[in-house]
DNA sequence: TAACTACCTTTAGC
DNA sequence: AGCTAAAGGTAGT
């Protein structure tokens, strides 16, 4: 049994510029959950081979980090977490810019959502799972994947936690079609084949080294490289560029953003039923022209504001009638 | 070239 | 209770 090492500390990130609820549970990552421990709210989850418990305070975020010693990680947990939450990014300043550029942005800026800096492989697999899917099911699929192929870190608050598997761990001695079959059996549906084939491709392209190249490439070139993989279209490619390749100008257009754009930004699209590639480009470029180099982060704020789970509770029909 | 539709599976909403 | 539609889309037609 591997030894588990525990570390604790704080990172400098004021609650005012970091809403952990929306940042961690808003569909960027699928491995965080809320720990409703009294008296303080905590969030726990796995990222970067480490199991974290985070407690937001007014002036900083307190963390506990647990890592199994047989899992390789950087041991400077403070810098690890700071990088993950992009603590150096001045969100306050950018939000002011976004509001200046877009009058309508104001009503969405209530809560400060941070753009996580995630690991490419995890990001790619999660978002290949995201097509025609919802956050709840994606989370359970990823949890299964980690427990089946990752390394156990330990038992925390009644749940076993696992690292996200590496490319090698996912492939093992398995052929591409074997992995496909295993994922099929685990209810990944038609995404199973996409994932198995893409992993084979990624291995051929150089694995982690390839991801490093994509980080250094201009955004549009990284995007074009990604859509060559089976199961990755422009939407998922943009998610990957934005969330794990540091291309913060990428603006993924999903069904939520499409509907939001129809209602609030590009009314002439109101009659359109589906997001064609032409419409995709139009909406994406609209937000890029509005917000520039950090347009993708601005989009993430809009996306979170639009999620049903973060909507203020609708008043009941009975309450509406009483008002009338 | 651009727009339509099948696709795995789950579940919220009738 | 049983059905439909929609869920962070993509690839093939």
């Amino acid at each position: 049994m591997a030894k588990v090492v525990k570390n604790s500390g704080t990172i400098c990130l004021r609650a005012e510029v970091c809403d952990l609820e929306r940042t961690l549970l808003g569909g960027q990552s699928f491995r965080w959950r809320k720990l409703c421990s009294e008296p303080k709210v905590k969030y726990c989850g796995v990222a970067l081979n480490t199991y974290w418990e985070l407690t937001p305070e007014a002036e900083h975020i307190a963390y506990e980090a647990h890592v199994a010693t047989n899992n390789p990680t950087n041991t400077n947990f403070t810098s690890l977490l700071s990088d993950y939450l992009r603590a150096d990014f001045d969100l306050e300043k950018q939000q002011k810019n976004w509001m200046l550029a877009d009058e309508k942005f104001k009503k969405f800026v209530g809560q400060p959502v941070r753009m996580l800096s995630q690991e490419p492989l995890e990001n790619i697999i999660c978002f290949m799972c995201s097509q025609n899917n919802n956050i709840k099911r994606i989370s359970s699929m990823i949890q299964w994947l980690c427990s089946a192929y990752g390394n156990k870190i330990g038992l925390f608050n009644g749940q076993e936690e696992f690292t996200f598997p590496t490319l090698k761990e996912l492939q093992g001695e398995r052929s591409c079609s074997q992995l496909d079959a295993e994922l099929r059996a685990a209810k990944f549906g038609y995404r199973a084949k996409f994932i198995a084939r893409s992993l084979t491709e990624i291995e051929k392209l150089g694995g982690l080294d390839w991801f490093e190249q994509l980080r250094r490439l201009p955004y549009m070139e990284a995007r074009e490289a990604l859509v060559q993989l089976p199961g990755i279209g422009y939407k998922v490619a943009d998610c990957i560029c934005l969330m794990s390749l540091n291309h913060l100008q990428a603006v993924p257009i999903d069904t939520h953003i499409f509907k939001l754009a129809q209602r609030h930004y590009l009314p002439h699209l109101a009659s359109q039923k589906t997001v064609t590639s032409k419409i995709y480009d139009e909406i994406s470029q609209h937000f890029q022209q509005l917000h520039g180099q950090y347009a993708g982060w601005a989009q993430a704020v809009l996306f979170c504001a639009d999620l049903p789970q973060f909507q203020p509770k609708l008043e009941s029909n009975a309450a509406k009638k009483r008002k009338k």
Side-chain angles (χ1 to χ4, degrees):
Chain A
M1 193 65 206
K3 195 182 165 198
V4 177
V5 178
K6 172 183 159 181
N7 292 268
S8 57
T10 62
I11 64 165
C12 298
L13 203 49
R14 291 176 294 124
E16 206 171 282
V17 293
C18 178
D19 179 344
L20 284 181
E21 178 93 13
R22 292 179 189 222
T23 301
L24 299 175
L25 308 182
Q28 290 186 58
S29 169
F30 301 93
R31 300 206 64 197
W32 293 91
R33 60 200 167 94
K34 193 177 193 169
L35 219 51
C36 284
S37 61
E38 295 298 330
K40 285 176 184 169
V41 179
K42 273 190 183 182
Y43 299 91
C44 65
V46 177
L48 310 162
N49 282 336
T50 307
Y51 169 77
W52 304 89
E53 286 187 8
L54 307 182
T55 311
E57 307 279 359
E59 296 299 320
H60 64 267
I61 293 170
Y63 71 79
E64 271 185 23
H66 303 254
V67 55
T69 50
N70 60 335
N71 293 324
T73 72
N74 181 343
T75 52
N76 185 346
F77 293 98
T78 300
S79 80
L80 214 53
L81 186 59
S82 295
D83 289 347
Y84 185 68
L85 290 168
R86 297 182 191 272
D88 291 338
F89 188 89
D90 188 345
L91 184 55
E92 229 166 8
K93 175 180 156 191
Q94 292 308 327
Q95 291 200 142
K96 279 176 190 159
N97 288 340
W98 297 335
M99 287 189 279
L100 287 175
D102 171 16
E103 178 65 27
K104 297 187 220 43
F105 196 84
K106 257 177 209 161
K107 64 181 168 197
F108 299 116
V109 175
Q111 309 305 326
V113 179
R114 300 199 76 81
M115 198 69 224
L116 297 173
S117 173
Q118 303 191 65
E119 295 185 289
L121 183 65
E122 173 175 343
N123 197 208
I124 286 172
I125 293 176
C126 288
F127 280 84
M128 287 212 288
C129 290
S130 76
Q131 59 183 86
N132 259 346
N133 212 342
N134 55 68
I135 292 178
K136 190 180 163 207
R137 182 177 168 214
I138 300 164
S139 302
S140 70
M141 287 161 73
I142 295 304
Q143 189 179 3
W144 177 88
L145 188 89
C146 294
S147 66
Y149 302 104
N151 294 314
K152 186 172 165 181
I153 303 173
L155 180 68
F156 305 95
N157 303 294
Q159 187 165 322
E160 290 197 320
E161 302 285 358
F162 297 83
T163 59
F164 196 92
T166 62
L167 198 51
K168 186 168 282 192
E169 286 165 348
L170 282 162
Q171 299 191 123
E173 300 300 309
R174 282 174 285 274
S175 67
C176 180
S177 58
Q178 274 177 299
L179 181 59
D180 173 12
E182 290 180 19
L183 295 176
R184 268 278 172 179
K187 314 288 177 88
F188 277 59
Y190 59 85
R191 304 163 192 84
K193 189 166 288 178
F194 290 150
I195 293 171
R197 288 183 178 172
S198 274
L199 292 184
T200 304
E201 261 325 285
I202 290 168
E203 172 73 37
K204 274 192 222 162
L205 289 163
L208 293 180
D209 290 336
W210 184 59
F211 297 145
E212 276 313 306
Q213 290 175 37
L214 295 183
R215 277 174 178 271
R216 285 193 276 272
L217 244 34
Y219 157 55
M220 289 304 273
E221 290 177 37
R223 185 177 193 250
E224 279 307 318
L226 284 167
V227 296
Q228 303 306 312
L229 297 176
I232 298 188
Y234 287 106
K235 190 297 184 163
V236 169
D238 277 334
C239 286
I240 296 160
C241 283
L242 174 64
M243 299 177 184
S244 63
L245 297 177
N246 211 33
H247 296 301
L248 297 177
Q249 69 269 52
V251 180
I253 305 302
D254 52 61
T255 158
H256 292 290
I257 295 296
F258 172 54
K259 287 171 188 164
L260 191 141
Q262 285 177 314
R263 281 184 57 193
H264 300 290
Y265 292 91
L266 300 166
H268 65 279
L269 296 179
S271 60
Q272 298 295 330
K273 293 250 184 294
T274 57
V275 184
T276 64
S277 58
K278 188 178 173 182
I279 292 172
Y280 187 104
D281 290 342
E282 182 179 351
I283 301 174
S284 195
Q285 283 165 27
H286 176 79
F287 285 114
Q288 284 170 345
Q289 281 159 17
L290 219 46
H291 297 304
Q293 63 177 332
Y294 302 127
W297 194 318
Q299 176 271 3
V301 175
L302 292 185
F303 176 79
C304 263
D306 196 50
L307 276 179
Q309 68 208 81
F310 297 131
Q311 294 301 316
K313 286 263 183 271
L314 288 173
E315 55 182 342
S316 66
N317 283 329
K320 278 183 188 167
K321 278 180 185 167
R322 278 198 298 278
K323 274 194 173 177
K324 283 185 181 175

